[in-house]
C-alpha cells in the first residue's frame, strides 16, 4: 500500500461501511482541526454527488480495491500494481482525442474535464477470471466528454489506449503484452449513461494501481474492457482491435458482456468469487450483464451473444 493510504487505521479490521464512514470522519476531522498537514499526502476529498445508478451493495474495502489488481503494465501478479505503480508520473497528463470528432487535439486532462460534474458511482465489477468486487468510483459519463469534443455522424466505435511508458512500467519494459493496452466500445455502448470515465474512488483521486489519473469503467462488461490510465480516445468507423482479442480471439471477444450463459473456453462464468470474504468467501451466481440488464439489454436486441461474446 502506498503512503497516501497510511492513515493509522487498520482497514481490514472494519466492515466496508464502517471503514468508509471512519475514513470520511477522519478526513473531515483533520480538515476541521485545521490540521491539513496531518493528512500529509492525502488530497482534499472530491466533491461528487451520489448517483441513482449506484448499487446499495456494500463496497469492498480500500485495501481489497487497491491491493488486488490487474494492471499488466506493472506485472502479472495481483499484488504487482500496488507494489510497482507508486512511481508512475500522473501530472502533467494529456489525452489525445482524434478520429471522427469536431474538436480533435492533445488536451491537458484538466482542460478536457473542466466543469463536468463528478458523481459517485458504486458499481459491481466483474473480472473475466470469475472474481468480483463492489467499487465506489468517482467519475462522469463518457458521453459528457464525447459531447464536448463533438462526435461526427460517421463514428461507430470508440477506441481507447492506455499509457505505455517502459521507464515507469516494468511490465511494458518486459513486453508482457502487445502494448499499448487497447480497448473499444460500440458508440451506443460508449454513450450509455452507465459508461463512465473514473478519476477517483472512495472519494479521493484515483490510486495509481487502479488507473490514475483517468480510466474507463463499463460495469456490465468484464473488467478487461475498463482500460486504465488513458492517453488516447479515438472515434472510428470500424471496430477497433483490442489487446485481448489480438492475444486470444477465441477467449476474449469484442463485446465481453458479463454472461453466465456463455462460458470462457477454459472455465465457467456461471458464478463468481466475491473478493474480501477471506476463507469464507462465498461464490455467488453471476447475473447477466452483471445485473445491469435493465439499462443495457436493449443494446443487444437481435444479437446472438454466444456469437458476439
Ligand atoms: N491498461 C490496462 N487496463 C486494464 C488492465 C490492464 O492490465 N492494463 N486490466 C484490466 C482487467 S483484466 C481488470 S479486471 C481491471 C481491474 O481493475 P482494478 O484493478 O481497478 O480492479 O482493469 C482492466 N484494465
Ligand atoms: Mo479482469
Amino acid at each position: 500500500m502506498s503512503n497516501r493510504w497510511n492513515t493509522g487505521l487498520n482497514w481490514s479490521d472494519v466492515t466496508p461501511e464502517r471503514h468508509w464512514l471512519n475514513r470520511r470522519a477522519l478526513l473531515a476531522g483533520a480538515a476541521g482541526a485545521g490540521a491539513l498537514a496531518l493528512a500529509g499526502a492525502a488530497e482534499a476529498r472530491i466533491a461528487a454527488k451520489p448517483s441513482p445508478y449506484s448499487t446499495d451493495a456494500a463496497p469492498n474495502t480500500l485495501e481489497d480495491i487497491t491491493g488486488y489488481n490487474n494492471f499488466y503494465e506493472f506485472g502479472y501478479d495481483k499484488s504487482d500494481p500496488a507494489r510497482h505503480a507508486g512511481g508512475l508520473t500522473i501530472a502533467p497528463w494529456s489525452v489525445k482525442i482524434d478520429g471522427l470528432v469536431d474538436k480533435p487535439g492533445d488536451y491537458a486532462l484538466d482542460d478536457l474535464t473542466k466543469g463536468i460534474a463528478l458523481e459517485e458511482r458504486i458499481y459491481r465489477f466483474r473480472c473475466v477470471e470469475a472474481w468480483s468486487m463492489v467499487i465506489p468510483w468517482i467519475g462522469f459519463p463518457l458521453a459528457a466528454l464525447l459531447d464536448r469534443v463533438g462526435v461526427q455522424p460517421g463514428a461507430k466505435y470508440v477506441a481507447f489506449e492506455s499509457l505505455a511508458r517502459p521507464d515507469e512500467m516494468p511490465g511494458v519494459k518486459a513486453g508482457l503484452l502487445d502494448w499499448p493496452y487497447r480497448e473499444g466500445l460500440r458508440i451506443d455502448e460508449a454513450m450509455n449513461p452507465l459508461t463512465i470515465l473514473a478519476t477517483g474512488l472512495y472519494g479521493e483521486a484515483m490510486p495509481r494501481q487502479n488507473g490514475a489519473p483517468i480510466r474507463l469503467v463499463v460495469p456490465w462488461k468484464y473488467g478487461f474492457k475498463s482500460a486504465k490510465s488513458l492517453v488516447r480516445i479515438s472515434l472510428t468507423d470500424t471496430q477497433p482491435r483490442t489487446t485481448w482479442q489480438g492475444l486470444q480471439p477465441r477467449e476474449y471477444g469484442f463485446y465481453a458482456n458479463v454472461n453466465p450463459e456463455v462460458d470462457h473456453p477454459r472455465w465457467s462464468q456461471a458464478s463468481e468469487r466475491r473478493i474480501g470474504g477471506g476463507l469464507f468467501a462465498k461464490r455467488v451466481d453471476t447475473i447477466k450483464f452483471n445485473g445491469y440488464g435493465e439499462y443495457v439489454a436493449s443494446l443487444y436486441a437481435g444479437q446472438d451473444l454466444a456469437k458476439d461474446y
Side-chain angles (χ1 to χ4, degrees), residues 7 28-29 33 58 87 108 138 142 177 204 217 248 277 285 308:
T7 56
I138 302 286
L142 172 61
L177 288 177
E204 294 187 27
V217 179
Q248 202 49 268
D285 288 344
D308 293 338

Side-chain angles (χ1 to χ4, degrees), residues 69-73 125 127 162 181 210 215 223-224 226 228:
N69 302 100
N70 275 333
F71 200 167
Y72 284 4
E73 286 84 339
F125 190 86
C127 177
S162 297
Y181 192 96
N210 295 92
R215 55 108 33 105
F224 65 83
S226 296
K228 295 177 169 183

Side-chain angles (χ1 to χ4, degrees), residues 203-218:
E204 294 187 27
M206 190 66 78
R208 285 170 171 76
Q209 59 265 48
N210 295 92
I214 186 164
R215 55 108 33 105
L216 184 64
V217 179
V218 193

Side-chain angles (χ1 to χ4, degrees), residues 230-242:
L230 296 174
V231 294
R232 185 175 178 191
I233 300 175
S234 312
L235 282 290
T236 66
D237 56 1
T238 53
Q239 186 176 300
R241 278 193 58 79
T242 73

Side-chain angles (χ1 to χ4, degrees), residues 70 72 78 125-131 181 222-225 244:
N70 275 333
Y72 284 4
K78 297 286 182 281
F125 190 86
R126 170 62 155 79
C127 177
V128 73
E129 299 162 322
W131 52 265
Y181 192 96
Y222 293 120
F224 65 83
K225 296 302 280 185
W244 291 107

Side-chain angles (χ1 to χ4, degrees), residues 32 39-40 98:
D98 61 358

